[in-house]
Amino acid sequence: MAQTTAPAFDSTLGQVGQIADASSRTIDSFAAEGIVPFGVAVQRGTDPDKQAKVFSDGSLLGVSVFSHTEESGQYEDKSSVSVMTHGRVIMSASGIAAIAGDPAYAVPGGAVSSSPNTATISFDADFVASNTIDATINGEAITQITYGTSHEATFDALVAEIEDTIENDLGLERFAVTGDAVARVITIIAEEGITVTGAAVTNGASQATTTVAAVANTSLGGEMLTSGDAGSLVQVSVAL
């Protein structure tokens, strides 16, 4: 994930990847395996003793710390990366708004989230006339969706119904539901995690096969120290 612009900055908090305060901390050095932006979760690289790379799903190592010596705004491949394994650092909140006191989880790509997982619902074909779509979100069944005027309209109606179920039936305030009708994928993130069951397409001349997946985020061992909207900077404690 190359970063070609200046690193994120908040006039109140400071620079992404900046050490948040003068409290005790532990910072180790590793060699960058590929480009490593400031303020992202990293995992052990191909050589686990020496290398670090942007977190995807491996062994979580810590958070890359801002460095004044890296003029490009990121750690270049093979450069020395300062990795915080214990302490307080500024990161970018992902998925949903963060509230101080939330558990801090690393998400693939290296940002931090209050949500323990991300769920996706994928379909291998467009919806067709007379299709009906069902799903259950955290134990709550959505109102069945029946094919409308087009695949796109039906897909949008399904996304809206999932949003309504999470907000009004489950009573969750912090969540995000995004849908891509062309790729036929719905992505769901919520404050207490999302479990999707019973997702299926029935009726009609043909039925798309439905695949549900959940990607578990990995605990940074600490919590959100400040609050912020998704995409904003927050202070995070790391304890790995």
Side-chain angles (χ1 to χ4, degrees):
M1 180 174 60
Q3 180 175 320
T4 58
T5 58
F9 179 82
D10 181 285
S11 59
T12 301
L13 293 179
Q15 171 78 50
V16 65
Q18 181 179 327
I19 296 170
D21 58 26
S23 61
S24 63
R25 54 188 176 269
T26 302
I27 297 176
D28 295 320
S29 294
F30 293 83
E33 182 175 349
I35 290 173
V36 178
F38 298 145
V40 299
V42 296
Q43 66 185 59
R44 293 185 183 275
T46 303
D47 183 339
D49 292 328
K50 299 179 180 179
Q51 291 180 305
K53 61 183 180 180
V54 176
F55 176 72
S56 57
D57 59 359
S59 176
L60 185 61
L61 185 59
V63 177
S64 59
V65 176
F66 170 77
S67 171
H68 289 283
T69 63
E70 299 294 328
E71 296 180 356
S72 62
Q74 60 195 9
Y75 292 104
E76 301 296 335
D77 184 38
K78 299 180 182 179
S79 65
S80 179
V81 182
S82 295
V83 178
M84 177 182 286
T85 58
H86 187 280
R88 299 179 176 184
V89 66
I90 297 173
M91 300 181 71
S92 178
S94 175
I96 60 173
I99 293 179
D102 284 346
Y105 298 95
V107 304
V112 66
S113 179
S114 297
S115 179
N117 79 309
T118 299
T120 58
I121 309 173
S122 304
F123 305 92
D124 70 351
D126 286 357
F127 301 137
V128 300
S130 300
N131 275 167
T132 53
I133 305 100
D134 294 280
T136 297
I137 311 295
N138 285 13
E140 189 72 35
I142 68 169
T143 299
Q144 186 180 73
I145 298 298
T146 301
Y147 182 87
T149 56
S150 66
H151 162 73
E152 290 78 8
T154 307
F155 193 92
D156 290 346
L158 176 59
V159 171
E161 176 55 30
I162 290 172
E163 290 178 331
D164 183 73
T165 299
I166 293 173
E167 181 175 10
N168 297 314
D169 295 333
L170 296 177
L172 302 185
E173 296 182 356
R174 289 182 293 149
F175 66 91
V177 182
T178 57
D180 185 333
V182 176
R184 311 184 199 98
V185 177
I186 298 172
T187 302
I188 313 169
I189 303 169
E191 58 191 276
E192 58 183 45
I194 286 293
T195 300
V196 179
T197 57
V201 181
T202 54
N203 300 316
S206 62
Q207 301 82 35
T209 299
T210 306
T211 302
V212 173
V215 176
N217 298 327
T218 302
S219 174
L220 282 164
E223 63 182 12
M224 304 292 189
L225 299 174
T226 59
S227 303
D229 294 333
S232 67
L233 298 186
V234 290
Q235 289 186 6
V236 179
S237 62
V238 179
L240 294 171

